[in-house]
Amino acid sequence: MRLTATLGEAYNHAPYPMNGHGKRNVHVLKEAFEAVDGDVDSDMYGNGAIMEQFHNTFAQLLGKPAAVFFPSGTMAQQIALRIWSDAAGSKKVAYHPLCHLEIHEQDGLKHLHHLEPILLADTTRPVLLSDVLNMPEGVACLLLELPQREIGGQLPDYRELEAISAHCREKGIKLHLDGARLFEITPYYGRSAEEICSLFDSVYVSVYKGLGGIAGAVLAGEYDFIEESKVWKRRHGGDLISLYPYFLSADYYTERRLPRMAEYYEGAIALAELYNSCQPAIRTVPQVPVSNMFHVHIGMSKEQLEPILIEVTQQTGIGFTHILRPTGDASCFYEVSIGDRFAELPREKARDAFRQLSDRLMTSHNRNP
Amino acid sequence: MRLTATLGEAYNHAPYPMNGHGKRNVHVLKEAFEAVDGDVDSDMYGNGAIMEQFHNTFAQLLGKPAAVFFPSGTMAQQIALRIWSDAAGSKKVAYHPLCHLEIHEQDGLKHLHHLEPILLADTTRPVLLSDVLNMPEGVACLLLELPQREIGGQLPDYRELEAISAHCREKGIKLHLDGARLFEITPYYGRSAEEICSLFDSVYVSVYKGLGGIAGAVLAGEYDFIEESKVWKRRHGGDLISLYPYFLSADYYTERRLPRMAEYYEGAIALAELYNSCQPAIRTVPQVPVSNMFHVHIGMSKEQLEPILIEVTQQTGIGFTHILRPTGDASCFYEVSIGDRFAELPREKARDAFRQLSDRLMTSHNRNP
């Protein structure tokens, strides 16, 4: 046992890491291109047969007239909000306080587009109709993230969504979907991506979350909206001469993983049950997952928990997480996201690992109550 | 002979196209990754061993303390100008009227960064010291493009450059190099990239022009400048989770093509001589190339010239260009850029093709003087 290992190292060396599809390495690219003919022409600045085909595939999947590939969701979503803001002649947009644009993009929306976000709901729950009804006047666009990643991937009830959509249509407020993990929620809602998207005016999906591509995003909507987004894509520096390394691999992995979304969702439910068997030391948010993800909250400091997780990982071969995030002096959490790996997990070994973890947490708790 | 072929089709089907390194197809990616171990870990949002190594290679090549990979030059250069503008507290930047930022980026610099470009020189020649001396007060940054692509890749005299650099340093004006084709001018100047860059505060180079990568750019400068550029890269949506498909292939092709820059330059001189043997119908700009590129100007309308070029291409197998750009009712031009392909060109066939082209232009000219 290497006592000097960090949690990240222990996780990466574990024979059975529980999260995601697999290691993010060059093999992901090589596998995707193995069957692609080398003579296939590159896309050229957003044009070309292979790109058109990809755009059509996603327009159809999302039930929108048009779709366009972007190098990143950061770029796609800022641009979507900018277009709706310009159309409405208002700089006001609304979203959740833990929206990606608010906390992960170095305030690009404000520095580049000078938009003025209004924060809805609080940091523990998703946006509800009541939040939307209480918005100030003049909001050009409301962004909803489904599932809301930073709170464990929570979702509003589908009827709540329909009511928000109906209200926005009535009021002329554009509704944009941050669907980074859109396909991952289709099993819980029991609706196709297309049905969910029909509630929204514009939609962004990521190609490297549940779909497991290398990087990139798709923006979809009406034809004119997508054409305008391409102009902004050029302005942002996202209209690369060749984007095929990303969208051809996205295409490859979408074909393989789209049919497995229900399996990932069920995996999340099963794994959350295992975590919740360690209550009260551990609890998951949501308690019963509504997508392929959830958060694990532990009533112990990052510094206390880290050596325990490293030891259990090294002794059992089961990788829980590569990183812990503190939520206070005496608690921390991490994100779990189910992908291909979960199907390979030896269940008896996993149960044993959870037993050991539970014992260690109990002992530690009794020592430092 | 397919009479219905477009010029682009005739060029693409020609056994000996004269421009560039080769077809832009998936093979470019596959070749670059053939020797890369699949187990190599991806970069993660700008970090990771392979990215650090790439950054170090380019920092060293360009003789700057730090370098960072960008998905595009559009993004890198807007950001460079924004940083210098913020530092100086002035929105004024200066560049050539045919600068990439002015004509190819849908005015991203103005829409996203609200900078106010001052256009120097005219559209027939590069920026000179006299232009710089006549700039209004308060310019935060002067951008020089070497070579100036849109005018055939012209260059100022190296002493002129040194004088501009000295003047800018004295006046506290930051000097930024648009070095999309920087390595391509080192043979003519007889200076290393590092020496040329020492005249500039910040430098952008493209990895897919002479170097022949898939897409992307490098920005180099002082450590603090590069750190700030990474914040803006995130804001622009350019801080992708994985950029390795681009920078690992850039690395591969840089190693192969950097040593061949003198050969490309000499090829351009030889080819321009062939074109100029068709005078007065054809002339090149510059007459004697100063990099691997030049423009071919022909005193005939695009519509008149196209069928002639298609026919000569199909009869001789030599591809001249895939596209013509009109410069007026009775003239047009195209860009020539020398890469790997030129070494494979059968010289006797090429001379024969130019004889045929010259004859056809002469006949046509006599018919429509």
Side-chain angles (χ1 to χ4, degrees):
Chain A
M1 190 174 68
R2 288 202 308 142
L3 284 167
T4 53
T6 64
L7 180 58
E9 288 165 353
Y11 182 81
N12 285 331
H13 291 130
Y16 307 110
M18 288 192 286
N19 306 315
H21 295 305
K23 281 202 159 70
R24 290 192 59 88
N25 60 23
V26 168
H27 184 67
V28 178
L29 179 76
K30 284 179 168 256
E31 183 190 329
F33 279 87
E34 223 158 73
V36 181
D37 187 341
D39 288 338
V40 166
D41 282 332
S42 169
D43 52 309
M44 287 287 284
Y45 296 113
N47 297 309
I50 49 171
M51 195 155 204
E52 222 167 279
Q53 202 174 349
F54 179 84
H55 288 165
N56 289 340
T57 302
F58 269 80
Q60 207 154 18
L61 265 176
L62 303 172
K64 296 293 180 196
V68 57
F69 182 79
F70 272 85
S72 73
T74 295
M75 196 184 291
Q77 296 208 103
Q78 284 183 26
I79 288 172
L81 295 194
R82 173 62 183 263
I83 292 171
W84 294 136
S85 156
D86 282 354
S90 163
K91 296 201 172 298
K92 282 187 216 159
V93 295
Y95 52 55
H96 193 271
L98 297 178
C99 174
H100 197 273
L101 290 97
E102 190 65 15
I103 64 172
H104 288 310
E105 304 183 4
Q106 294 276 5
D107 278 336
L109 189 76
K110 297 164 200 169
H111 287 283
L112 293 171
H113 296 286
H114 306 283
L115 298 194
E116 296 160 11
I118 289 156
L119 307 183
L120 302 181
D122 65 40
T123 56
T124 63
R125 62 163 179 85
V127 174
L128 301 175
L129 177 63
S130 54
D131 303 307
V132 180
L133 293 174
N134 287 323
M135 286 194 314
E137 287 291 301
V139 167
C141 176
L142 165 63
L143 176 151
L144 292 184
E145 183 186 348
L146 304 179
Q148 195 78 43
R149 185 231 180 142
E150 300 291 341
I151 52 173
Q154 294 181 51
L155 283 176
D157 189 87
Y158 198 76
R159 290 212 185 139
E160 190 89 24
L161 263 190
E162 289 177 313
I164 292 174
S165 174
H167 172 77
C168 287
R169 283 213 175 137
E170 195 194 310
K171 294 287 181 188
I173 300 164
K174 295 295 177 184
L175 193 58
H176 172 78
L177 172 58
D178 177 340
R181 296 162 183 79
L182 168 64
F183 300 112
E184 294 86 321
I185 63 172
T186 53
Y188 170 76
Y189 274 150
R191 321 251 168 179
S192 67
E194 187 180 344
E195 275 178 280
I196 300 169
C197 292
S198 71
L199 302 176
F200 295 84
D201 298 290
S202 56
V203 176
Y204 138 74
V205 293
S206 171
V207 302
Y208 69 91
K209 309 293 180 342
L211 298 180
I214 295 171
V218 174
L219 187 65
E222 295 294 323
Y223 180 79
D224 287 353
F225 171 85
I226 293 304
E227 285 305 300
E228 199 175 342
S229 80
K230 291 178 187 173
V231 173
W232 282 105
K233 185 183 176 190
R234 169 64 61 104
R235 289 176 180 149
H236 264 252
D239 191 18
L240 275 58
I241 184 167
S242 295
L243 282 164
Y244 72 82
Y246 294 129
F247 71 76
L248 286 187
S249 33
D251 199 44
Y252 174 86
Y253 290 111
T254 297
E255 208 179 305
R256 273 144 197 83
R257 297 204 172 112
L258 211 46
R260 299 183 66 178
M261 290 296 157
E263 175 197 330
Y264 304 150
Y265 165 57
E266 285 151 19
I269 292 177
L271 187 56
E273 257 179 39
L274 277 174
Y275 273 108
N276 287 316
S277 71
C278 304
Q279 277 181 338
I282 296 183
R283 68 184 177 93
T284 70
V285 174
Q287 201 194 340
V288 180
V290 292
S291 71
N292 72 324
M293 71 168 290
F294 57 89
H295 282 180
V296 177
H297 285 263
I298 302 179
M300 189 179 276
S301 76
K302 181 179 188 298
E303 290 66 31
Q304 274 183 293
L305 181 58
E306 225 155 43
I308 296 174
L309 276 180
I310 292 171
E311 203 184 317
V312 179
T313 297
Q314 292 184 330
Q315 280 175 357
T316 65
I318 301 288
F320 293 87
T321 182
H322 71 288
I323 195 164
L324 292 176
R325 286 184 277 173
T327 37
D329 283 350
S331 61
C332 61
F333 83 103
Y334 58 93
E335 184 174 292
V336 167
S337 158
I338 299 297
D340 294 354
R341 274 171 170 167
F342 196 69
E344 313 297 325
L345 189 70
R347 297 306 145 110
E348 198 35 64
K349 272 186 196 292
R351 273 187 289 270
D352 177 52
F354 275 96
R355 270 190 297 269
Q356 288 204 35
L357 178 62
S358 189
D359 289 351
R360 291 297 315 272
L361 292 176
M362 201 78 82
T363 317
S364 180
H365 181 76
N366 290 342
R367 220 182 288 142
N368 315 280
Chain B
M1 189 173 68
R2 288 202 308 144
L3 283 167
T4 52
T6 64
L7 181 58
E9 288 164 353
Y11 182 81
N12 285 331
H13 291 131
Y16 307 110
M18 289 191 286
N19 306 315
H21 294 306
K23 281 201 160 69
R24 289 191 60 86
N25 60 23
V26 169
H27 183 68
V28 177
L29 180 75
K30 285 179 168 256
E31 182 189 329
F33 279 86
E34 224 157 73
V36 181
D37 187 341
D39 288 337
V40 166
D41 282 333
S42 169
D43 52 309
M44 287 286 284
Y45 297 114
N47 298 308
I50 49 172
M51 196 154 201
E52 221 168 277
Q53 202 175 348
F54 179 84
H55 288 164
N56 289 340
T57 301
F58 269 80
Q60 206 154 17
L61 264 176
L62 302 172
K64 296 291 180 197
V68 58
F69 182 79
F70 271 85
S72 74
T74 295
M75 196 184 291
Q77 296 207 102
Q78 284 183 25
I79 288 172
L81 295 194
R82 173 63 182 263
I83 293 172
W84 294 137
S85 156
D86 282 354
S90 164
K91 296 201 172 298
K92 282 187 215 157
V93 294
Y95 52 54
H96 192 272
L98 298 178
C99 174
H100 197 274
L101 291 96
E102 190 65 14
I103 64 172
H104 288 309
E105 304 183 5
Q106 293 277 4
D107 278 337
L109 188 76
K110 297 163 200 169
H111 286 283
L112 293 171
H113 296 287
H114 306 284
L115 299 194
E116 297 160 10
I118 288 156
L119 307 183
L120 301 181
D122 64 42
T123 56
T124 64
R125 60 162 181 86
V127 173
L128 301 175
L129 177 62
S130 55
D131 303 307
V132 181
L133 293 174
N134 288 324
M135 287 194 313
E137 287 290 302
V139 168
C141 176
L142 165 63
L143 176 153
L144 294 183
E145 182 186 347
L146 305 178
Q148 195 77 44
R149 185 229 181 146
E150 300 290 342
I151 50 173
Q154 295 181 50
L155 283 176
D157 190 87
Y158 198 76
R159 291 213 182 136
E160 190 89 23
L161 263 191
E162 290 178 312
I164 293 174
S165 173
H167 173 76
C168 287
R169 284 212 175 136
E170 195 194 309
K171 295 286 180 187
I173 301 164
K174 295 295 177 184
L175 193 57
H176 172 78
L177 172 57
D178 176 340
R181 297 161 182 79
L182 168 64
F183 300 112
E184 294 87 321
I185 63 173
T186 52
Y188 171 75
Y189 275 150
R191 320 252 168 177
S192 68
E194 186 180 344
E195 274 179 282
I196 300 168
C197 291
S198 72
L199 302 176
F200 294 84
D201 297 291
S202 55
V203 176
Y204 139 73
V205 292
S206 170
V207 302
Y208 70 90
K209 309 291 182 341
L211 298 181
I214 296 171
V218 173
L219 187 65
E222 295 294 323
Y223 180 79
D224 286 353
F225 170 85
I226 293 302
E227 285 305 300
E228 199 174 341
S229 80
K230 291 178 187 173
V231 174
W232 281 105
K233 184 184 177 190
R234 169 63 64 104
R235 289 176 179 150
H236 265 252
D239 192 18
L240 276 57
I241 184 167
S242 295
L243 282 165
Y244 72 82
Y246 294 131
F247 71 76
L248 286 188
S249 33
D251 200 43
Y252 174 86
Y253 289 111
T254 298
E255 208 180 304
R256 273 144 197 86
R257 295 202 173 115
L258 211 46
R260 297 183 67 176
M261 291 295 158
E263 176 199 329
Y264 303 150
Y265 165 56
E266 285 151 20
I269 292 177
L271 187 56
E273 257 179 40
L274 277 174
Y275 273 109
N276 287 316
S277 72
C278 304
Q279 275 181 341
I282 296 182
R283 69 187 176 91
T284 69
V285 174
Q287 201 193 340
V288 180
V290 291
S291 71
N292 72 324
M293 72 167 290
F294 56 89
H295 281 179
V296 177
H297 285 262
I298 302 180
M300 188 179 277
S301 76
K302 182 177 186 300
E303 291 67 31
Q304 273 184 296
L305 181 58
E306 225 155 43
I308 295 175
L309 276 180
I310 292 171
E311 203 186 317
V312 179
T313 297
Q314 292 184 329
Q315 281 175 356
T316 64
I318 301 289
F320 293 87
T321 183
H322 71 288
I323 196 165
L324 293 175
R325 286 185 276 174
T327 38
D329 283 350
S331 61
C332 62
F333 83 103
Y334 58 93
E335 183 174 292
V336 167
S337 158
I338 299 297
D340 293 354
R341 274 170 169 168
F342 195 70
E344 313 298 323
L345 189 69
R347 297 305 147 111
E348 197 36 62
K349 272 187 196 294
R351 273 187 291 269
D352 178 51
F354 275 96
R355 269 190 297 268
Q356 288 202 34
L357 178 62
S358 188
D359 289 350
R360 291 297 314 272
L361 292 176
M362 200 78 81
T363 316
S364 178
H365 182 77
N366 291 342
R367 221 183 287 143
N368 316 281

